[in-house]
Amino acid sequence: MEATIEEKINHILVEKFGFLYLRDIQKKVINASLKKKDIIVLSPTSSGKSLCFQIPALLFPGVTIVISPLRSLIYDQVLNLKNKNIEAFYLSSDSGVKQRKILFERLEHLKSSNGIHNMLNKQNHSDESILLYTTPETLNTNLDLITILTELNDINMFNRIVIDEAHCVSTWGHEFRPHYLKLKLMKEQFPGVPVIALTATATKKVEEDIKHILNIDDNYEVFKKSYYRDNLVIKIREKKNDKDALEKMIDQINRNYKNKSGIIYCYSRKNCEKITEKLKDHGINVEYYHAGMSKGIREIIQEEWIQNKIKIIVATIAFGMGIDKPDVRFIMHINMPTSLEGYYQEIGRAGRDGKISDCIVYYNTQDRVIYEKMLKKEAPKSKKKVEHNNSMLAKLQDISNYFENIIDCKHFLLSNHFGEKLEPQIGFCKHHCDNCVRNRNNIVYKDITDLCLKIINIIIILKNDSTLTKVKKFMKGSSEMKKYQ
């Protein structure tokens, strides 16, 4: 007897990925995938978004294309899948001739030997599933790839297009990665192929950008999971300057994070190298990582960090996207991140094993001044550049307000920024951010239902009476109101 879809999903989950059960959001996304719907998934880091498209990709024969922003990220994910004996490939500008030959031979074999049979009975050939990771530039410009994907789509063997880290469509597309904007053409090039876009950091505006830029169908489904990570402890520490911050970091590492895995973020390559040198002088096991290094050296450092041969990485934002190291116990920022979206991504690399992890920012307003000067240094040459600069300045204002807020729960503020409403605003996380720890003895919860009802009465009186006589009378005579004056 042939296995049911649910049995196949459970088999793949256990045998290929080593998990015993799916999380609730994963189940819902996979079920929607089976209906061939366009999908947007908004879910925090470490919530298992990859399984949402990897399991459906292995259920049926054919190819699933995964578009990712960084070649290093693609390489890591493909390597992880191959280690699980899952057939995965990557295609980018630096793919070797031999790699390309193997990939295209495999796609041709999929087309010629299985096309007719799969049209008749797709479910009997689930061992003929391919995950192909690529960049938007490659998908838009590689004619050989476009041709064979079109041919596979004609025989119903092109199963789905996945946009991983989909916030890049909005935050990078307009200025830095024009090929993200061209992804809109996918719907014309490959009619009928459903899209799934996944991200951990999407405001309502970014969600709308994703829908518009990717030309997602109107009957698409959105799946959201709470942005609150209850095992992350958010700490904001004042610094006089970078030297002061470095001294505090060294003290913290030696006292609290000896032999623990962590990441330190800073804004420039030069700073990465300088900070690493200082940390090494204090006997700390650390290396730097930035985009100015050769690919080979970056890969070695990353692999040694994952294996815990290197304990701490000092990096620019070039490091970390898509890396799934479970035991990162701390994230430190020696410089202010440039946006709340970036900050959430970066602290999300901590505590993926569910254990308590610290997220420490060393902050002063000087960082913001430096970023603003950098943005204003060159006069914008186009309307788009002006809009981009204004957007970046607004993001700097948002994150400055976030760090300078000494009342509201930091976790509440982050979740609220991404459109999630949580209650209460003050004291939400109890003791997992500075503000809630600082204010825990000052918070008094009081039922003011009666007061609210009286305020509603005032509004009704104002609406029905052009004079304020009744209102003044009410205010004067209300014993309840006097309690709050």
Side-chain angles (χ1 to χ4, degrees):
M1 184 185 290
E2 188 176 344
T4 64
I5 288 291
E6 189 175 344
E7 287 169 340
K8 288 180 180 180
I9 290 170
N10 288 334
H11 177 77
I12 292 169
L13 182 68
V14 175
E15 296 300 319
K16 295 290 187 183
F17 296 99
F19 296 113
L20 295 177
Y21 59 88
L22 288 167
R23 298 172 186 177
D24 188 50
I25 192 170
Q26 292 170 329
K27 281 184 190 174
K28 289 175 180 176
V29 175
I30 290 169
N31 286 335
S33 292
L34 298 176
K35 299 172 190 172
K36 295 280 187 180
K37 285 196 166 191
D38 285 347
I39 298 166
I40 295 177
V41 180
L42 311 173
S43 187
T45 50
S46 82
S47 60
K49 289 187 294 297
S50 294
L51 283 184
C52 292
F53 63 83
Q54 288 171 343
I55 287 179
L58 299 176
L59 277 174
F60 304 108
V63 64
T64 296
I65 296 288
V66 184
I67 298 169
S68 190
L70 301 174
R71 288 196 294 268
S72 59
L73 175 56
I74 290 171
Y75 176 80
D76 292 334
Q77 292 185 342
V78 169
L79 188 61
N80 286 336
L81 288 170
K82 285 185 172 178
N83 288 338
K84 293 177 172 68
N85 293 317
I86 293 170
E87 192 167 26
F89 297 87
Y90 73 93
L91 182 64
S92 65
S93 57
D94 61 353
S95 296
V97 175
K98 187 178 178 183
Q99 287 175 307
R100 288 169 181 260
K101 186 171 183 290
I102 292 169
L103 167 63
F104 281 98
E105 283 178 354
R106 188 68 190 82
L107 292 172
E108 284 290 345
H109 172 74
L110 192 65
K111 181 184 73 171
S112 60
S113 64
N114 292 311
I116 296 171
H117 296 295
N118 288 338
M119 280 195 297
L120 295 172
N121 190 4
K122 281 189 85 175
Q123 293 190 26
N124 286 338
H125 298 271
S126 57
D127 57 330
E128 292 292 336
S129 307
I130 294 174
L131 274 153
L132 172 54
Y133 284 72
T134 190
T135 61
E137 288 80 5
T138 302
L139 183 65
N140 290 328
T141 61
N142 191 307
L143 293 178
D144 290 337
L145 179 62
I146 292 168
T147 300
I148 197 161
L149 289 177
T150 302
E151 292 169 349
L152 286 167
N153 192 33
D154 289 341
I155 57 172
N156 297 319
M157 293 284 285
F158 188 177
N159 292 338
R160 185 171 284 276
I161 297 167
V162 179
I163 315 293
D164 202 9
E165 308 292 352
H167 57 278
C168 297
V169 168
S170 175
T171 57
W172 291 2
H174 301 289
E175 282 293 328
F176 307 107
R177 299 288 287 271
H179 280 278
Y180 267 106
L181 293 176
K182 293 179 182 177
L183 290 178
K184 191 167 189 172
L185 300 174
M186 293 184 309
K187 287 285 189 177
E188 296 171 21
Q189 287 175 321
F190 312 114
V193 179
V195 170
I196 180 170
L198 309 99
T199 179
T201 52
T203 59
K204 191 65 184 172
K205 181 189 177 301
V206 171
E207 183 185 332
E208 287 301 315
D209 276 355
I210 290 169
K211 181 179 178 295
H212 171 69
I213 292 168
L214 298 179
N215 204 15
I216 282 175
D217 290 342
D218 288 337
N219 67 339
Y220 75 105
E221 288 196 41
V222 180
F223 296 93
K224 298 181 181 181
K225 192 176 188 299
S226 175
Y227 286 97
Y228 174 43
R229 293 276 308 280
D230 63 359
N231 65 317
L232 299 186
V233 181
I234 297 174
K235 302 177 181 181
I236 316 301
R237 300 288 180 262
E238 286 187 21
K239 66 174 182 180
K240 296 174 188 173
N241 48 42
D242 283 1
K243 184 183 175 187
D244 175 54
L246 184 57
E247 288 171 0
K248 289 175 177 174
M249 279 170 47
I250 290 167
D251 179 60
Q252 279 286 318
I253 291 166
N254 284 331
R255 279 196 300 116
N256 299 322
Y257 309 111
K258 230 173 178 58
N259 296 316
K260 302 280 178 70
S261 182
I263 307 172
I264 298 169
Y265 283 105
C266 55
Y267 74 88
S268 75
R269 299 174 186 181
K270 188 178 176 183
N271 256 22
C272 282
E273 296 176 16
K274 223 160 86 177
I275 290 165
T276 301
E277 191 180 328
K278 294 286 185 187
L279 293 175
K280 282 184 173 180
D281 288 344
H282 285 79
I284 294 169
N285 182 358
V286 60
E287 287 294 344
Y288 63 83
Y289 181 110
H290 58 65
M293 302 161 68
S294 73
K295 180 189 170 194
I297 291 174
R298 288 202 310 270
E299 286 174 0
I300 290 168
I301 289 171
Q302 182 174 306
E303 191 57 34
E304 289 188 347
W305 178 71
I306 287 170
Q307 294 173 4
N308 281 320
K309 293 175 184 175
I310 296 169
K311 289 297 179 183
I312 300 169
I313 294 285
V314 181
T316 60
I317 59 170
F319 181 78
M321 190 181 282
I323 289 174
D324 192 15
K325 188 176 195 292
D327 61 341
V328 177
R329 291 281 71 89
F330 69 92
I331 302 288
M332 292 183 182
H333 286 83
I334 195 167
N335 302 111
M336 181 182 89
T338 56
S339 71
L340 281 168
E341 290 82 2
Y343 174 65
Y344 185 81
Q345 280 275 348
E346 286 149 24
I347 65 172
R349 282 144 203 167
R352 294 193 171 200
D353 55 6
K355 295 179 182 177
I356 294 293
S357 302
D358 292 332
C359 307
I360 305 171
V361 173
Y362 295 93
Y363 173 76
N364 69 13
T365 53
Q366 188 59 32
D367 282 339
R368 179 182 160 190
V369 172
I370 291 168
Y371 293 147
E372 286 177 345
K373 281 182 179 175
M374 287 165 65
L375 281 170
K376 294 172 181 176
K377 193 174 182 181
E378 293 181 18
K381 296 176 183 177
S382 67
K383 186 182 175 184
K384 276 189 177 180
K385 185 65 177 172
V386 171
E387 289 172 357
H388 170 71
N389 281 9
N390 288 340
S391 172
M392 293 301 293
L393 288 169
K395 287 176 185 289
L396 286 173
Q397 183 64 58
D398 285 345
I399 197 162
S400 290
N401 292 344
Y402 175 80
F403 290 135
E404 290 169 16
N405 184 323
I406 59 169
I407 301 296
D408 301 317
C409 171
K410 295 297 184 189
H411 286 283
F412 172 92
L413 292 172
L414 275 178
S415 297
N416 186 64
H417 178 75
F418 295 117
E420 181 182 5
K421 304 300 179 188
L422 300 171
E423 296 292 343
Q425 182 168 344
I426 298 170
F428 169 75
C429 75
K430 303 294 188 289
H431 56 268
H432 282 180
C433 81
D434 284 343
N435 286 351
C436 289
V437 170
R438 185 187 303 114
N439 299 322
R440 67 185 180 277
N441 296 322
N442 302 324
I443 298 168
V444 177
Y445 294 99
K446 194 167 187 177
D447 185 350
I448 56 168
T449 306
D450 289 342
L451 175 61
C452 292
L453 288 170
K454 292 182 187 299
I455 291 171
I456 292 168
N457 283 334
I458 291 174
I459 294 167
I460 293 168
I461 291 167
L462 281 171
K463 188 177 179 182
N464 296 333
D465 196 326
S466 57
T467 69
L468 294 177
T469 308
K470 289 184 181 179
V471 178
K472 287 177 181 175
K473 196 176 186 182
F474 175 83
M475 293 287 283
K476 208 172 194 180
S478 172
S479 58
E480 193 67 30
M481 189 65 76
K482 284 175 184 176
K483 293 179 188 177
Y484 298 94
Q485 288 177 343

